[in-house]
Amino acid sequence: MGGGGAVTAEPQEPELLEPALQAPEEESLQLSGRPEEEAAAAAAVDPAASQIAAGGCCLFAVPNENPEAKKKVTCPGLGLFYTLLSAFFFSVASLLVKKIQDIHSAEISAFRCVFQMLFVLPSLIYEKTGFLGPKGKRIFLVLRGIFGSTAMILLYYAFQLMPIADATVITFTTPVFTSLFAWIYLKEKYSVWDLFFTIFAIAGVILIARPPFLFGYSTAGLEENHSYHLRGALAAICGAMFAALTLVILRKVGKSVHHLLSIWYYVVIGLLESIIVLIVVGDWRLPHCGIDRLFLLLIGLFGLGGQIFLTKALQVEKAGPVAIMRTMDIVFAFLLQIIFLNKIPTWWTVSGALCVVASSSGAAIHKWYQNSQVRHQC
């Protein structure tokens, strides 16, 4: 969500590829499960895609390095600076979702989809890709839309029920779930290190969720009560899992489908799913005041800004360092929560965050090292 953590994060559209989503010769990118980053993962590696992404006309990021762009960079660390700006934008979008408490998360998702559609539709028409895609790939595109939009709704719901720092940290478990699902559905390698990182991430989630049967019934640091907090934690972890499934689908589809079509299915199905959810729960309402309407607009703008900066970062910097720098999203979430919500994270949250960051960063470094070894052997 846009903007984790993870609005953050098209549920970017992320990042943003996981270890399981890269071909052996590509850099791996471990990012959170924000809908923005998932959208970014849909970008194909071609010059046209890079140019459109850099111009901010579409909502995606290029997951590979661009050698030509890299040669033009004269400022060391520029890619990491772009990544830092991207993390900040996604965190602000998460804060704005938190501030809109009287609007259902599905309605926020619907507004986000409409906003993104305004950018994707002109690009689809310009590229003349059509709106349906290849017949054999449509089922995967539909699944990508369902999984991605579900992740977005769940993430926004988590932001509304629990502290944004807690929810953001949980979204960073997406990489370990992606490795697991890719092993199950794509038969990709799942090493002992992957298992270790998965267990470490789950331990971090438990520390943040603090189930009463393990930690007692103290409500210190919770938004409302244990019921709200556990529902938020469950929504965040399910959102991370759906984001991981989205990335597995993107890996399955590969480059056979234009990246704009992937994003198009995401926003169209996301809008339909959001409307269906709102009809079922009977909670559709227009924002009561101008400030909420402004927040809805800013959520879209900051989410788009985060995607643009993440795209530019991936064009000039290796994926490994970008993935590690993306964990600054968690730091920003902590700071924004303290400054604007006057809520200091508990030591349980800090401990859980350290576990999750260590897990996601370790997985990124491990895969980065593996890919480097493969390239040297070639």
Side-chain angles (χ1 to χ4, degrees), residues 214 244 369:
L214 289 177
Y369 174 77

Side-chain angles (χ1 to χ4, degrees), residues 97 100-112 152-158 160-161 231 273-288 292 296 299:
V97 172
I100 306 178
Q101 284 291 342
D102 60 340
I103 299 179
H104 197 280
S105 60
E107 186 171 348
I108 301 177
S109 172
F111 277 101
R112 277 297 314 277
M152 177 164 57
I153 294 173
L154 289 171
L155 176 61
Y156 289 169
Y157 185 66
Q160 293 180 330
L161 291 183
R231 281 161 53 193
E273 182 177 337
S274 299
I275 292 174
I276 292 173
V277 171
L278 290 171
I279 293 174
V280 171
V281 300
D283 199 19
W284 175 271
R285 71 185 73 176
L286 291 175
H288 295 302
D292 284 344
L296 285 173
I299 288 171

Side-chain angles (χ1 to χ4, degrees), residues 134-147:
K135 289 185 178 180
K137 302 295 182 179
R138 291 174 187 174
I139 181 61
F140 296 111
L141 290 171
V142 171
L143 289 175
R144 180 268 186 276
I146 294 173
F147 291 153

Side-chain angles (χ1 to χ4, degrees), residues 25-26 44-45 64 250-251 253-258:
E25 72 275 14
E26 296 173 332
V45 183
N64 283 15
L250 291 174
R251 174 67 176 93
V253 171
K255 301 178 183 179
S256 61
V257 175
H258 198 283

